[in-house]
Amino acid sequence: MLDSPTSPKRFVHITNYYHNASGGVRTNYDMLLTEAERRGRYHTLIVPGEHSEIIETGRFTRIYKIAARPAPLFDRRYRMILPNQYLFHGTAIRDVLLKEAPSAIEVYDNYSLTFLAGMIRKGYFRRLGRPLLVYFTGERFDTIFASFVVSGKFGKWFSRTAMGNFNLAMFDYFIANSPFVAEELFDSVNRQMRDRISNYALDKCWEFFRNSLSDFSSRVAICPRGVDTAVFSPHLKSREARARIARELGFPESAFLLISSTRLSREKNIRLLPQITKILQYDKRFDFRLILAGDGPERHRLENESAALAPGRIAFIGHQKRKRLAEFYANADGFIHPNPREPFGNVGLEAMASGLSVVVPNAGGTLTYANEENAFLAPPTAEAFASRILELAGNPEIAERKRKAALKTAADNNVEAAFGRLFHTYDKMYSEFYEPLKTRDAAFIRHSTEAAIRTTGN
């Protein structure tokens, strides 16, 4: 369908969390463009790349890659668009935005891209006009800051101040991919969690960016991502495929195959995986083996720990394309995900759609879709995870009941349903944003018409 007057005519999304081997962010934006194309909506994605190029993904959608250097911190497989690429006239991001002339801009970034919204709010980008500014967050600032910079009280204070005083103050509306992530948004502007001086600074920052906290909660939406059930499906399971996978990995065909898929990075709590496998290797009933899909800066360390704690029991298969990953999922016996601070966890939903029993933490964003009806929940310790995995393996009736419930959960959260909710949210936000402008324009037209009638006497 074509955009209505209360829908954004052109929507531009900007993120730094997108590269050829990235996981959930790339998957979700690729699916968003596919769904926008199907619906006939103009959506453009701007991402960093090794060199600048335009990728025409359809009649209504395209991707601009902006030449950018590797990220200086975290994971150097990612590249980072920096403020100097949009602050000044004639810079790359400005040129793209002027060409696209969006009526809505979404920024998915906590660091170098957010001030673009502040510039627009302050009137430093007048040729662009005043588009709707949406802040999409699919991770918690405090988790990343604690993992890579500093944790404790100072880390919490800094994260809350950066989010509340600056990032959030520059946008009109806010979308989180889970209640766990949205919780940080609300905490960041919660006056009861701040002292008098901190509240004073909060108010001054929001005034500076010409924004108001009065209706903040009504401008926050939670839009969980969806799973492509056409790709991730139990129909990919077969005796032949399972035997082939076991042979390729050097595992016995009779092994109980567990799989985990995640970015191998510090904040993902991945060092729990070899500890879990170490405990499971002593069980005499099952021959547990772990398939670990994904890559990242912690891979070498994790390989060494795995070799020391559970030699020969963990196979690192690196980053896999979605169809190949779906085959691994469907032919495994169980899925485990160790991160209690996971923002959402697409991988868990993908595993559910593939017909797997899943073991996930009893905290974090995975609880958006996982519960004791459709999953095995565990505290984020090696002992607790191992206990639930043994329960999964030793109680096939319970596992089957949860597996069937998980398949229904995945079906209820398929791509069409999830993006239907997301596009509805975009339209609702734009309608609320657009209404005052429409009222103002109508009043101007009425005033001008009345003045003309008085002048002409007609």
Side-chain angles (χ1 to χ4, degrees), residues 11-22:
F11 210 125
V12 168
H13 308 262
I14 309 175
T15 183
N16 273 321
Y17 309 141
Y18 187 106
H19 69 87
N20 291 338
S22 62

mmCIF file with all atom_site columns, all heavy atoms in Angstrom, residues 11-22:
data_model
loop_
_atom_site.group_PDB
_atom_site.id
_atom_site.type_symbol
_atom_site.label_atom_id
_atom_site.label_alt_id
_atom_site.label_comp_id
_atom_site.label_asym_id
_atom_site.label_entity_id
_atom_site.label_seq_id
_atom_site.pdbx_PDB_ins_code
_atom_site.Cartn_x
_atom_site.Cartn_y
_atom_site.Cartn_z
_atom_site.occupancy
_atom_site.B_iso_or_equiv
_atom_site.pdbx_formal_charge
_atom_site.auth_seq_id
_atom_site.auth_comp_id
_atom_site.auth_asym_id
_atom_site.auth_atom_id
_atom_site.pdbx_PDB_model_num
ATOM 1   N N   . PHE A 1 11 ? 11.075 7.243   4.631  1.00 0.00 ? 11 PHE A N   1
ATOM 2   C CA  . PHE A 1 11 ? 11.640 6.929   5.936  1.00 0.00 ? 11 PHE A CA  1
ATOM 3   C C   . PHE A 1 11 ? 13.101 6.538   5.748  1.00 0.00 ? 11 PHE A C   1
ATOM 4   O O   . PHE A 1 11 ? 13.412 5.661   4.948  1.00 0.00 ? 11 PHE A O   1
ATOM 5   C CB  . PHE A 1 11 ? 10.873 5.750   6.552  1.00 0.00 ? 11 PHE A CB  1
ATOM 6   C CG  . PHE A 1 11 ? 10.824 5.761   8.055  1.00 0.00 ? 11 PHE A CG  1
ATOM 7   C CD1 . PHE A 1 11 ? 9.616  5.700   8.729  1.00 0.00 ? 11 PHE A CD1 1
ATOM 8   C CD2 . PHE A 1 11 ? 11.999 5.816   8.803  1.00 0.00 ? 11 PHE A CD2 1
ATOM 9   C CE1 . PHE A 1 11 ? 9.565  5.693   10.116 1.00 0.00 ? 11 PHE A CE1 1
ATOM 10  C CE2 . PHE A 1 11 ? 11.957 5.819   10.185 1.00 0.00 ? 11 PHE A CE2 1
ATOM 11  C CZ  . PHE A 1 11 ? 10.736 5.756   10.845 1.00 0.00 ? 11 PHE A CZ  1
ATOM 12  N N   . VAL A 1 12 ? 13.989 7.200   6.476  1.00 0.00 ? 12 VAL A N   1
ATOM 13  C CA  . VAL A 1 12 ? 15.417 6.875   6.436  1.00 0.00 ? 12 VAL A CA  1
ATOM 14  C C   . VAL A 1 12 ? 15.842 6.298   7.778  1.00 0.00 ? 12 VAL A C   1
ATOM 15  O O   . VAL A 1 12 ? 15.540 6.864   8.830  1.00 0.00 ? 12 VAL A O   1
ATOM 16  C CB  . VAL A 1 12 ? 16.272 8.116   6.102  1.00 0.00 ? 12 VAL A CB  1
ATOM 17  C CG1 . VAL A 1 12 ? 17.745 7.836   6.360  1.00 0.00 ? 12 VAL A CG1 1
ATOM 18  C CG2 . VAL A 1 12 ? 16.077 8.521   4.646  1.00 0.00 ? 12 VAL A CG2 1
ATOM 19  N N   . HIS A 1 13 ? 16.537 5.164   7.738  1.00 0.00 ? 13 HIS A N   1
ATOM 20  C CA  . HIS A 1 13 ? 17.078 4.517   8.931  1.00 0.00 ? 13 HIS A CA  1
ATOM 21  C C   . HIS A 1 13 ? 18.605 4.624   8.871  1.00 0.00 ? 13 HIS A C   1
ATOM 22  O O   . HIS A 1 13 ? 19.207 4.371   7.822  1.00 0.00 ? 13 HIS A O   1
ATOM 23  C CB  . HIS A 1 13 ? 16.685 3.047   8.976  1.00 0.00 ? 13 HIS A CB  1
ATOM 24  C CG  . HIS A 1 13 ? 15.221 2.802   8.816  1.00 0.00 ? 13 HIS A CG  1
ATOM 25  N ND1 . HIS A 1 13 ? 14.377 2.601   9.885  1.00 0.00 ? 13 HIS A ND1 1
ATOM 26  C CD2 . HIS A 1 13 ? 14.443 2.738   7.695  1.00 0.00 ? 13 HIS A CD2 1
ATOM 27  C CE1 . HIS A 1 13 ? 13.150 2.424   9.450  1.00 0.00 ? 13 HIS A CE1 1
ATOM 28  N NE2 . HIS A 1 13 ? 13.159 2.493   8.126  1.00 0.00 ? 13 HIS A NE2 1
ATOM 29  N N   . ILE A 1 14 ? 19.223 4.975   9.983  1.00 0.00 ? 14 ILE A N   1
ATOM 30  C CA  . ILE A 1 14 ? 20.681 5.112   10.043 1.00 0.00 ? 14 ILE A CA  1
ATOM 31  C C   . ILE A 1 14 ? 21.202 4.279   11.206 1.00 0.00 ? 14 ILE A C   1
ATOM 32  O O   . ILE A 1 14 ? 20.703 4.392   12.332 1.00 0.00 ? 14 ILE A O   1
ATOM 33  C CB  . ILE A 1 14 ? 21.103 6.587   10.243 1.00 0.00 ? 14 ILE A CB  1
ATOM 34  C CG1 . ILE A 1 14 ? 20.419 7.496   9.221  1.00 0.00 ? 14 ILE A CG1 1
ATOM 35  C CG2 . ILE A 1 14 ? 22.611 6.730   10.140 1.00 0.00 ? 14 ILE A CG2 1
ATOM 36  C CD1 . ILE A 1 14 ? 20.700 8.979   9.426  1.00 0.00 ? 14 ILE A CD1 1
ATOM 37  N N   . THR A 1 15 ? 22.191 3.440   10.952 1.00 0.00 ? 15 THR A N   1
ATOM 38  C CA  . THR A 1 15 ? 22.784 2.648   12.023 1.00 0.00 ? 15 THR A CA  1
ATOM 39  C C   . THR A 1 15 ? 24.240 2.351   11.738 1.00 0.00 ? 15 THR A C   1
ATOM 40  O O   . THR A 1 15 ? 24.656 2.279   10.578 1.00 0.00 ? 15 THR A O   1
ATOM 41  C CB  . THR A 1 15 ? 22.022 1.323   12.220 1.00 0.00 ? 15 THR A CB  1
ATOM 42  O OG1 . THR A 1 15 ? 22.591 0.616   13.330 1.00 0.00 ? 15 THR A OG1 1
ATOM 43  C CG2 . THR A 1 15 ? 22.107 0.442   10.980 1.00 0.00 ? 15 THR A CG2 1
ATOM 44  N N   . ASN A 1 16 ? 25.008 2.178   12.799 1.00 0.00 ? 16 ASN A N   1
ATOM 45  C CA  . ASN A 1 16 ? 26.391 1.712   12.683 1.00 0.00 ? 16 ASN A CA  1
ATOM 46  C C   . ASN A 1 16 ? 26.503 0.209   12.907 1.00 0.00 ? 16 ASN A C   1
ATOM 47  O O   . ASN A 1 16 ? 27.559 -0.380  12.681 1.00 0.00 ? 16 ASN A O   1
ATOM 48  C CB  . ASN A 1 16 ? 27.282 2.421   13.721 1.00 0.00 ? 16 ASN A CB  1
ATOM 49  C CG  . ASN A 1 16 ? 27.819 3.746   13.215 1.00 0.00 ? 16 ASN A CG  1
ATOM 50  O OD1 . ASN A 1 16 ? 28.178 3.881   12.049 1.00 0.00 ? 16 ASN A OD1 1
ATOM 51  N ND2 . ASN A 1 16 ? 27.883 4.734   14.087 1.00 0.00 ? 16 ASN A ND2 1
ATOM 52  N N   . TYR A 1 17 ? 25.411 -0.445  13.360 1.00 0.00 ? 17 TYR A N   1
ATOM 53  C CA  . TYR A 1 17 ? 25.475 -1.849  13.766 1.00 0.00 ? 17 TYR A CA  1
ATOM 54  C C   . TYR A 1 17 ? 25.143 -2.774  12.595 1.00 0.00 ? 17 TYR A C   1
ATOM 55  O O   . TYR A 1 17 ? 24.309 -3.681  12.716 1.00 0.00 ? 17 TYR A O   1
ATOM 56  C CB  . TYR A 1 17 ? 24.499 -2.118  14.914 1.00 0.00 ? 17 TYR A CB  1
ATOM 57  C CG  . TYR A 1 17 ? 24.618 -1.171  16.066 1.00 0.00 ? 17 TYR A CG  1
ATOM 58  C CD1 . TYR A 1 17 ? 23.482 -0.713  16.732 1.00 0.00 ? 17 TYR A CD1 1
ATOM 59  C CD2 . TYR A 1 17 ? 25.857 -0.717  16.518 1.00 0.00 ? 17 TYR A CD2 1
ATOM 60  C CE1 . TYR A 1 17 ? 23.577 0.151   17.806 1.00 0.00 ? 17 TYR A CE1 1
ATOM 61  C CE2 . TYR A 1 17 ? 25.962 0.156   17.588 1.00 0.00 ? 17 TYR A CE2 1
ATOM 62  C CZ  . TYR A 1 17 ? 24.818 0.583   18.219 1.00 0.00 ? 17 TYR A CZ  1
ATOM 63  O OH  . TYR A 1 17 ? 24.913 1.449   19.280 1.00 0.00 ? 17 TYR A OH  1
ATOM 64  N N   . TYR A 1 18 ? 25.798 -2.572  11.484 1.00 0.00 ? 18 TYR A N   1
ATOM 65  C CA  . TYR A 1 18 ? 25.447 -3.341  10.282 1.00 0.00 ? 18 TYR A CA  1
ATOM 66  C C   . TYR A 1 18 ? 26.718 -3.613  9.491  1.00 0.00 ? 18 TYR A C   1
ATOM 67  O O   . TYR A 1 18 ? 27.423 -2.691  9.092  1.00 0.00 ? 18 TYR A O   1
ATOM 68  C CB  . TYR A 1 18 ? 24.465 -2.510  9.436  1.00 0.00 ? 18 TYR A CB  1
ATOM 69  C CG  . TYR A 1 18 ? 23.862 -3.205  8.228  1.00 0.00 ? 18 TYR A CG  1
ATOM 70  C CD1 . TYR A 1 18 ? 22.543 -3.621  8.241  1.00 0.00 ? 18 TYR A CD1 1
ATOM 71  C CD2 . TYR A 1 18 ? 24.593 -3.401  7.061  1.00 0.00 ? 18 TYR A CD2 1
ATOM 72  C CE1 . TYR A 1 18 ? 21.957 -4.219  7.130  1.00 0.00 ? 18 TYR A CE1 1
ATOM 73  C CE2 . TYR A 1 18 ? 24.021 -4.000  5.947  1.00 0.00 ? 18 TYR A CE2 1
ATOM 74  C CZ  . TYR A 1 18 ? 22.706 -4.401  5.982  1.00 0.00 ? 18 TYR A CZ  1
ATOM 75  O OH  . TYR A 1 18 ? 22.141 -4.991  4.876  1.00 0.00 ? 18 TYR A OH  1
ATOM 76  N N   . HIS A 1 19 ? 27.051 -4.885  9.308  1.00 0.00 ? 19 HIS A N   1
ATOM 77  C CA  . HIS A 1 19 ? 28.146 -5.244  8.410  1.00 0.00 ? 19 HIS A CA  1
ATOM 78  C C   . HIS A 1 19 ? 27.882 -6.643  7.882  1.00 0.00 ? 19 HIS A C   1
ATOM 79  O O   . HIS A 1 19 ? 26.902 -7.306  8.255  1.00 0.00 ? 19 HIS A O   1
ATOM 80  C CB  . HIS A 1 19 ? 29.508 -5.144  9.109  1.00 0.00 ? 19 HIS A CB  1
ATOM 81  C CG  . HIS A 1 19 ? 29.746 -6.167  10.171 1.00 0.00 ? 19 HIS A CG  1
ATOM 82  N ND1 . HIS A 1 19 ? 30.264 -7.408  9.916  1.00 0.00 ? 19 HIS A ND1 1
ATOM 83  C CD2 . HIS A 1 19 ? 29.543 -6.131  11.511 1.00 0.00 ? 19 HIS A CD2 1
ATOM 84  C CE1 . HIS A 1 19 ? 30.377 -8.093  11.037 1.00 0.00 ? 19 HIS A CE1 1
ATOM 85  N NE2 . HIS A 1 19 ? 29.939 -7.339  12.023 1.00 0.00 ? 19 HIS A NE2 1
ATOM 86  N N   . ASN A 1 20 ? 28.733 -7.123  6.990  1.00 0.00 ? 20 ASN A N   1
ATOM 87  C CA  . ASN A 1 20 ? 28.448 -8.354  6.260  1.00 0.00 ? 20 ASN A CA  1
ATOM 88  C C   . ASN A 1 20 ? 28.278 -9.572  7.156  1.00 0.00 ? 20 ASN A C   1
ATOM 89  O O   . ASN A 1 20 ? 27.590 -10.525 6.787  1.00 0.00 ? 20 ASN A O   1
ATOM 90  C CB  . ASN A 1 20 ? 29.552 -8.624  5.226  1.00 0.00 ? 20 ASN A CB  1
ATOM 91  C CG  . ASN A 1 20 ? 29.527 -7.630  4.096  1.00 0.00 ? 20 ASN A CG  1
ATOM 92  O OD1 . ASN A 1 20 ? 28.504 -6.997  3.839  1.00 0.00 ? 20 ASN A OD1 1
ATOM 93  N ND2 . ASN A 1 20 ? 30.649 -7.455  3.425  1.00 0.00 ? 20 ASN A ND2 1
ATOM 94  N N   . ALA A 1 21 ? 28.918 -9.574  8.317  1.00 0.00 ? 21 ALA A N   1
ATOM 95  C CA  . ALA A 1 21 ? 28.837 -10.734 9.201  1.00 0.00 ? 21 ALA A CA  1
ATOM 96  C C   . ALA A 1 21 ? 28.107 -10.419 10.502 1.00 0.00 ? 21 ALA A C   1
ATOM 97  O O   . ALA A 1 21 ? 28.196 -11.170 11.458 1.00 0.00 ? 21 ALA A O   1
ATOM 98  C CB  . ALA A 1 21 ? 30.237 -11.266 9.506  1.00 0.00 ? 21 ALA A CB  1
ATOM 99  N N   . SER A 1 22 ? 27.390 -9.292  10.544 1.00 0.00 ? 22 SER A N   1
ATOM 100 C CA  . SER A 1 22 ? 26.676 -8.954  11.769 1.00 0.00 ? 22 SER A CA  1
ATOM 101 C C   . SER A 1 22 ? 25.418 -9.806  11.878 1.00 0.00 ? 22 SER A C   1
ATOM 102 O O   . SER A 1 22 ? 24.955 -10.402 10.911 1.00 0.00 ? 22 SER A O   1
ATOM 103 C CB  . SER A 1 22 ? 26.335 -7.466  11.813 1.00 0.00 ? 22 SER A CB  1
ATOM 104 O OG  . SER A 1 22 ? 25.486 -7.111  10.752 1.00 0.00 ? 22 SER A OG  1
#
